[in-house]
Amino acid sequence: HQNAENVRLQVPTTHVRSRPSSRGDDRGHDSIQEKFFQPRFTQVPEDVVIEEGRFCRLDFKVSGLPTPDVMWYQNGRMVHQDQFHKMIVSEKGFHSFIFEAVKSADAGTYECVAVNRAGEASFTVKVEVIAKEHHMPPTFIFKPQSKKVFEGDTARLECQISAIPTPRIYWKRNNEMVQYNTDRISLLHDNTGRICLLIHNANKKDAGWYTVSAVNGAGVATCHARLEVATHTNKPLPAPKQLRVRPTFSKYLALNGRGLDVKQAFSPEGEFQRLAEQSGLYESDEL
């Protein structure tokens, strides 16, 4: 009886232990396998030529699963982030490699490598750095002078500016930009930095305060001058005074109201004395 009881109790025990194994096999078939995708660059930057000291940004886009790690190498040497080099990652795989201020040492061939569990991908880009040009802010060698002209005349406002590189020139009249390169107003300049604003046939509307500004990458210089436009006043000219010539009794010249009397001018000595007696004049003995 005891043996039969033991057999009865053991049968379900063996069956129960076998079921977990069966359930375990079912879970193995239903599990989802993890997938991996090798990195792939979908956008890469072009080669760069940039002046020393400028800001530079290299943008690119990379895809992959899991998200790949990105590394930069300059001429085979790994580039690390510092105050002049930044590596930024944004959403959807967009990356940026930033040069805050390009230096001559930044020139070279750069390799960007993206790595994940499935593999890696890379691209190269060349960065050429141009030596920084010497810059000098604009300064006035001589400034425009205030002037007064009459209506219809030509007004000239001239100055000379020194700057490296050549600055851009702006003229304003009463804080409004002057529209030159027209039939009446023109701007002239030469290689020495001389600048001339010409206003032909000036009128009252041209009067006011003129401001000239020179601008380049190193700075700005500004100067002011006033232009006055006056109106012509047509005053009648005074009539010339008639000259009253007193008669003279020189033996060389005799003048009267009718002009030169040549005959009297060369009259003999007796005629001179006769004329003197008639006029009541006598020659002094003291002469």
Side-chain angles (χ1 to χ4, degrees), residues 60-106:
F60 62 96
K61 185 178 182 181
V62 61
S63 62
L65 189 66
T67 301
D69 296 322
V70 175
M71 294 160 288
W72 280 92
Y73 298 86
Q74 180 195 13
N75 300 327
R77 184 177 180 179
M78 181 176 285
V79 178
H80 299 281
Q81 293 197 78
D82 55 29
Q83 60 179 338
F84 298 107
H85 306 87
K86 308 293 183 183
M87 299 176 190
I88 299 175
V89 181
S90 60
E91 297 179 357
K92 299 181 180 180
F94 286 99
H95 293 245
S96 296
F97 182 26
I98 294 176
F99 300 83
E100 293 290 349
V102 176
K103 299 176 293 184
S104 58
D106 291 325

Side-chain angles (χ1 to χ4, degrees), residues 255-282:
L255 293 177
N256 54 30
R258 292 174 297 178
L260 176 65
D261 189 339
V262 178
K263 183 176 180 180
Q264 292 185 10
F266 294 94
S267 61
E269 186 69 17
E271 183 66 16
F272 170 74
Q273 291 179 356
R274 185 181 63 80
L275 292 173
E277 291 175 354
Q278 292 178 357
S279 62
L281 299 176
Y282 299 93

Side-chain angles (χ1 to χ4, degrees), residues 148-151 204 228-234:
K148 179 179 179 180
V149 298
F150 289 98
E151 286 183 300
K204 287 289 187 178
E228 294 184 19
V229 181
T231 303
H232 281 287
T233 54
N234 297 322

Side-chain angles (χ1 to χ4, degrees), residues 146-160:
S146 295
K147 288 190 175 182
K148 179 179 179 180
V149 298
F150 289 98
E151 286 183 300
D153 292 347
T154 298
R156 298 173 62 97
L157 296 176
E158 299 179 80
C159 63
Q160 187 172 7

Side-chain angles (χ1 to χ4, degrees), residues 8-275:
R8 185 180 65 81
L9 294 174
Q10 289 176 1
V11 171
T13 303
T14 303
H15 179 71
V16 170
R17 287 177 181 176
S18 63
R19 293 184 65 182
S21 175
S22 176
R23 288 196 299 269
D25 293 340
D26 293 340
R27 287 196 302 269
H29 290 296
D30 295 338
S31 64
I32 301 174
Q33 293 183 355
E34 186 177 359
K35 296 182 180 180
F36 303 96
F37 296 98
Q38 183 176 345
R40 186 170 67 92
F41 289 100
T42 58
Q43 176 182 326
V44 296
E46 297 181 352
D47 293 343
V48 177
V49 178
I50 191 166
E51 186 182 21
E52 184 180 5
R54 298 282 187 177
F55 174 87
C56 180
R57 179 173 183 152
L58 303 177
D59 295 322
F60 62 96
K61 185 178 182 181
V62 61
S63 62
L65 189 66
T67 301
D69 296 322
V70 175
M71 294 160 288
W72 280 92
Y73 298 86
Q74 180 195 13
N75 300 327
R77 184 177 180 179
M78 181 176 285
V79 178
H80 299 281
Q81 293 197 78
D82 55 29
Q83 60 179 338
F84 298 107
H85 306 87
K86 308 293 183 183
M87 299 176 190
I88 299 175
V89 181
S90 60
E91 297 179 357
K92 299 181 180 180
F94 286 99
H95 293 245
S96 296
F97 182 26
I98 294 176
F99 300 83
E100 293 290 349
V102 176
K103 299 176 293 184
S104 58
D106 291 325
T109 300
Y110 287 79
E111 182 182 17
C112 180
V113 180
V115 181
N116 68 4
R117 196 179 303 175
E120 69 176 52
S122 65
F123 70 85
T124 59
V125 59
K126 292 182 179 180
V127 176
E128 182 180 347
V129 180
I130 302 175
K132 186 176 182 180
E133 183 183 4
H134 174 64
H135 285 70
M136 184 177 70
T139 55
F140 284 93
I141 298 176
F142 68 84
K143 299 179 180 180
Q145 302 296 316
S146 295
K147 288 190 175 182
K148 179 179 179 180
V149 298
F150 289 98
E151 286 183 300
D153 292 347
T154 298
R156 298 173 62 97
L157 296 176
E158 299 179 80
C159 63
Q160 187 172 7
I161 299 172
S162 175
I164 301 176
T166 302
R168 298 185 301 275
I169 305 299
Y170 302 95
W171 282 89
K172 290 183 178 181
R173 182 183 62 83
N174 298 334
N175 293 324
E176 293 185 3
M177 198 69 69
V178 175
Q179 300 298 326
Y180 44 82
N181 295 331
T182 64
D183 294 338
R184 203 173 63 86
I185 302 177
S186 57
L187 181 66
L188 307 178
H189 58 86
D190 60 22
N191 295 331
T192 66
R194 294 177 65 94
I195 298 166
C196 178
L197 182 68
L198 281 177
I199 304 175
H200 301 283
N201 192 22
N203 57 54
K204 287 289 187 178
K205 294 181 179 180
D206 296 320
W209 281 101
Y210 282 77
T211 301
V212 55
S213 298
V215 182
N216 68 5
V220 180
T222 302
C223 191
H224 309 277
R226 182 168 180 79
L227 177 65
E228 294 184 19
V229 181
T231 303
H232 281 287
T233 54
N234 297 322
K235 294 182 179 180
L237 296 177
K241 295 181 179 180
Q242 294 183 354
L243 297 178
R244 297 181 65 183
V245 181
R246 293 182 179 181
T248 179
F249 303 103
S250 168
K251 62 182 178 179
Y252 302 107
L253 187 64
L255 293 177
N256 54 30
R258 292 174 297 178
L260 176 65
D261 189 339
V262 178
K263 183 176 180 180
Q264 292 185 10
F266 294 94
S267 61
E269 186 69 17
E271 183 66 16
F272 170 74
Q273 291 179 356
R274 185 181 63 80
L275 292 173

